[in-house]
Amino acid sequence: MKGMDDTAAALDRLAADLNLLLCGDRLADLTDAERWLVLARIGAVQRRVEALVVETVATAAVVREIVNAAQERTICRSCE
């Protein structure tokens, strides 16, 4: 369970850090150039979050079973 504890703690820290960015006038006081930099970094963070979702689903046992079953059917069909 240590892996889950580490993962949950890292996600909790990330959520807390994002909440800090949303509080107060941090974003309101940015120049236009700074906004573009923030948006670029947000895009990078968003891509990593999406990758984390994909990896979490893709590594699930049920998904591996489906992939294995599909591969077995493909192998069987190629032998016919």
Side-chain angles (χ1 to χ4, degrees), residues 73-80:
R73 283 194 299 271
T74 302
I75 291 170
C76 291
R77 286 185 185 145
S78 64
C79 295
E80 293 175 352

Side-chain angles (χ1 to χ4, degrees), residues 26-68:
R26 290 178 184 239
L27 299 175
D29 295 335
L30 297 177
T31 66
D32 287 345
E34 290 170 328
R35 285 179 198 287
W36 282 110
L37 293 172
V38 168
L39 288 170
R41 286 176 174 84
I42 290 169
V45 169
Q46 184 174 3
R47 286 187 295 280
R48 300 314 301 161
V49 169
E50 290 169 353
L52 185 58
V53 170
V54 169
E55 283 299 312
T56 301
V57 172
T59 57
V62 69
V63 173
R64 287 193 305 268
E65 290 173 17
I66 292 169
V67 170
N68 289 339

Side-chain angles (χ1 to χ4, degrees), residues 14-27:
L14 177 60
D17 287 346
L18 291 172
N19 282 337
L20 287 175
L21 293 174
L22 292 169
C23 293
D25 293 332
R26 290 178 184 239
L27 299 175

